[in-house]
Amino acid sequence: MNRICLPRSLAPALTAVLITLLAHCGPVAAAAVPMPRILRSHGRYELEVDGKPYLILGAQVNNSSNYPAMLPEVWPAIRMMHANTVAMPIAWEQIEPTEGHFDFSFLDVFLAQARQHHVHAILLWFGTWKNSSPGYTPSWVKLDNARFPRVVDRQGKRMPSLSPLARSTLDADRTAFVALMRHLKAVDPEHTVIMVQVENETGTYGSVRDYSPRANRLFHGPVPQRLIRALHTRHGTWRQVFGPHAGEFFHAWSIARFVQQVAAAGKAVYPLPLYVNVALRDPIHPGPPITYESGGPTDDALGVWKAAAPSIDLIGPDIYMPDYARYTRVLDLYHRPDNALFVAETASAEPYARYLFAVLGDQGIGFSPFGIDFTGYSNYPLGARTVDAKTLAPFALAYRLIGPMAPVIARLSFEGRVHGVSEPESVHTQTIPLGRWKAVVSYGLPLFGNGTPPGNPVAEGGVLIARLGPASFLVTGVHARVSFELAHPGGRQVQYARVTQGVYEQGVWNFLRVWNGDQTDWGLNFTSIPQVLHVHLATY
Ligand code: DGJ
């Protein structure tokens, strides 16, 4: 312990000052760490953590890795991936095995270890819904179908999902979630946990909605005023207002209202940002028929969810679609003026790593591949066949590149200055409009010389460009070439006034060298080495 030695004559006076200060301040406390929050301006978003702009370079562990014995298999993978945020399930069955008796011992262990590993955390509340089913509810919930009724289909058959219309289920889930948030508030003054996901992939497979007598009564009644107002639609029954979508939207409303009440109660005790994730429907060929999880926040139901669940800060897609067309379509669908884009889950397979660039280009606040630990499980064919160093390498490259400058990128993004693209499978050149300039991105060319871009053998390229000034850009990427042209040449040509390579440390740009000659004659070539450039353009 440090001792302060004072001259005898000064000691009484200083002691008096100290006592007065303590009387006014109460116990000496570390300076309060600001709450994580999501800022919104001009339809753009910024996640702020520790009072600074933040990008979630995330990693979500496997479903059953939420026990202390598994954590030694978690941290090496998180470290190897260079993730700054780990997403960890907290299961209802784990925290309330007996009704009214809570056990947060895993959470406490996890938080202590997350801090030792210098990462932030996202908690995933596995409650009434986990991929539609109540698998993670305690046995006193899932075995009591009378008190906690299931959805019944049109034929009266019980579905795996619990009904969102049962007061008893809502009360029990809300009580547990509030206990979790209250405990978190008490044990996490430094805000290691930056967001909480409420439930997991809500909805019902196999039935469009609940057909219980209570559900039928409500379904044949009027659409609630709140939804009519939000969607600027006419009054009437669900069928009259929503036609063929009535069953799905009724179920979405019922689930979203349930989630809203859980979220609002949790936020009232501890106002962290809260979000929900989505089991997507196909963004290009969604049906009918409905083959997806009905009632979740699928793209068609976003308006219903937004109206029903204002305490949910964002709706994040779980993207397990490797092809460029569908992946980027999902990004466009969930990047809305009323929704911050956060890819809550994505697959661990190599082709997915490049999408971080498209996510950032769509003003995303984060990205979180799923199944990142060394417990030996892999969700192949959704994700990689095995999760090992080779699998994690492309994600690690992207995170090593973006991580050191994440606050800078997050702030530039909030100002609307960030552009990002990922490599498509069948198109090997892309153009990014930049006002007076345009950037031409090409894939698969060698570092030296020109030619027709063939694309990378496996699409793996990505580029990020941020506007720093009228003719200045931050340019970076992987496995791609960037060249600049004038949007409207008018007889003039572009030249590099200066290209510098550097690194960001604590938000400050540190110069390493000037790129010139071979390094610029054939465009700016990015490989599997993390390199960041400041590019100043001119014309002649
Ligand atoms: C999406 C879910 O949200 C995850 O918890 C997990 O079940 C994956 N699907 C599949 O591995």
Side-chain angles (χ1 to χ4, degrees):
M1 189 204 275
N2 291 329
R3 278 170 196 277
I4 301 172
C5 298
L6 297 171
R8 263 175 204 285
S9 55
L10 272 182
L14 279 180
T15 309
V17 170
L18 209 59
I19 289 171
T20 317
L21 276 176
L22 286 177
H24 281 89
C25 306
V28 182
V33 179
M35 281 290 286
R37 57 182 186 149
I38 296 176
L39 309 177
R40 177 182 171 175
S41 168
H42 300 94
R44 291 191 293 271
Y45 293 87
E46 179 181 290
L47 173 61
E48 204 182 73
V49 171
D50 301 333
K52 293 188 293 249
Y54 191 83
L55 289 179
I56 299 168
L57 303 177
Q60 182 169 153
V61 302
N62 278 299
N63 284 170
S64 308
S65 298
N66 55 326
Y67 288 85
M70 293 304 109
L71 292 179
E73 310 306 327
V74 167
W75 301 118
I78 303 301
R79 242 195 337 263
M80 191 174 278
M81 193 159 157
H82 294 261
N84 64 10
T85 310
V86 55
M88 177 61 75
I90 298 293
W92 187 359
E93 65 178 353
Q94 171 179 39
I95 65 159
E96 198 185 7
T98 309
E99 189 169 6
H101 297 275
F102 290 96
D103 172 1
F104 294 108
S105 52
F106 169 67
L107 178 57
D108 295 346
V109 169
F110 168 65
L111 287 182
Q113 294 191 17
R115 288 172 197 138
Q116 280 163 13
H117 288 86
H118 307 290
V119 291
H120 281 287
I122 290 175
L123 301 185
L124 314 170
W125 172 234
F126 283 10
T128 299
W129 287 272
K130 162 66 177 79
N131 305 11
S132 102
S133 100
Y136 280 85
T137 61
S139 41
W140 56 270
V141 174
K142 66 179 154 202
L143 303 183
D144 187 347
N145 293 322
R147 183 173 164 205
F148 304 107
R150 310 250 166 179
V151 164
V152 291
D153 73 3
R154 200 191 284 273
Q155 285 73 40
K157 184 176 149 219
R158 275 190 187 146
M159 297 282 100
S161 277
L162 293 181
S163 169
L165 297 169
R167 183 94 227 162
S168 45
T169 312
L170 170 60
D171 287 345
D173 187 318
R174 181 173 47 198
T175 301
F177 186 70
V178 166
L180 169 63
M181 295 299 277
R182 186 172 291 126
H183 183 80
L184 189 58
K185 179 178 182 189
V187 298
D188 192 26
E190 59 256 63
H191 307 307
T192 298
V193 174
I194 57 172
M195 291 213 289
V196 177
Q197 179 187 291
V198 187
E199 313 293 346
N200 191 86
E201 291 196 347
T202 57
T204 299
Y205 286 111
S207 183
V208 168
R209 66 172 177 92
D210 189 4
Y211 288 85
S212 64
R214 168 133 202 268
N216 287 340
R217 223 174 22 255
L218 289 168
F219 180 72
H220 294 300
V223 174
Q225 276 300 330
R226 176 201 276 269
L227 186 55
I228 300 272
R229 267 199 311 274
L231 299 183
H232 307 291
T233 184
R234 65 195 173 93
H235 295 263
T237 65
W238 288 88
R239 181 68 74 204
Q240 286 164 344
V241 176
F242 295 114
H245 304 288
E248 183 188 350
F249 287 1
F250 169 76
H251 200 41
W253 174 262
S254 308
I255 295 176
R257 288 304 292 162
F258 182 118
V259 169
Q260 163 61 18
Q261 291 172 79
V262 172
K267 228 175 201 177
V269 299
Y270 187 34
L272 275 183
L274 301 178
Y275 73 97
V276 292
N277 63 337
V278 195
L280 297 167
R281 60 182 203 153
D282 190 299
I284 294 171
H285 304 291
I290 294 180
T291 50
Y292 50 91
E293 225 183 314
S294 177
T298 45
D299 64 84
D300 54 327
L302 285 175
V304 175
W305 268 80
K306 289 284 173 189
S311 296
I312 293 297
D313 295 280
L314 68 89
I315 296 173
D318 293 351
I319 318 185
Y320 294 89
M321 300 170 184
D323 59 290
Y324 178 88
R326 286 189 302 159
Y327 204 107
T328 52
R329 176 80 187 121
V330 171
L331 298 184
D332 292 344
L333 289 167
Y334 284 83
H335 165 211
R336 309 180 2 150
D338 65 353
N339 194 55
L341 177 65
F342 167 50
V343 176
E345 287 178 35
T346 199
S348 55
E350 186 180 350
Y352 288 85
R354 73 193 200 273
Y355 289 125
L356 175 62
F357 295 93
V359 170
L360 295 176
D362 253 342
Q363 226 272 300
I365 62 164
F367 171 85
S368 189
F370 175 86
I372 308 302
D373 61 43
F374 293 148
T375 54
Y377 187 83
S378 122
N379 65 354
Y380 179 81
L382 274 192
R385 199 180 280 272
T386 49
V387 177
D388 55 19
K390 186 170 173 295
T391 309
L392 296 183
F395 295 96
L397 170 61
Y399 284 7
R400 273 162 59 220
L401 181 65
I402 303 297
M405 57 182 174
V408 174
I409 300 295
R411 178 50 53 86
L412 289 167
S413 172
F414 194 40
E415 293 168 0
R417 295 166 175 268
V418 171
H419 306 262
V421 290
S422 305
E423 181 177 1
E425 297 84 12
S426 50
V427 174
H428 309 311
T429 305
Q430 291 159 312
T431 302
I432 304 176
L434 298 165
R436 185 181 170 208
W437 318 94
K438 62 183 181 184
V440 178
V441 179
S442 40
Y443 300 102
L445 289 169
L447 307 187
F448 188 93
N450 271 331
T452 306
N456 286 304
V458 174
E460 59 178 348
V463 162
L464 188 116
I465 299 181
R467 264 183 303 114
L468 301 176
S472 308
F473 299 92
L474 181 162
V475 184
T476 191
V478 296
H479 306 292
R481 173 182 292 188
V482 180
S483 308
F484 287 90
E485 294 175 7
L486 279 165
H488 305 289
R492 298 193 72 78
Q493 318 283 333
V494 176
Q495 64 177 331
Y496 296 118
R498 188 170 157 91
V499 177
T500 55
Q501 181 188 344
V503 287
Y504 278 98
E505 278 161 26
Q506 315 274 2
V508 176
W509 173 251
N510 287 307
F511 168 90
L512 291 178
R513 62 168 169 163
V514 171
W515 274 26
N516 210 335
D518 285 351
Q519 280 64 50
T520 56
D521 288 348
W522 310 105
L524 308 172
N525 288 285
F526 296 95
T527 60
S528 59
I529 304 170
Q531 290 176 318
V532 186
L533 304 178
H534 276 188
V535 176
H536 303 280
L537 299 177
T539 58
Y540 60 93

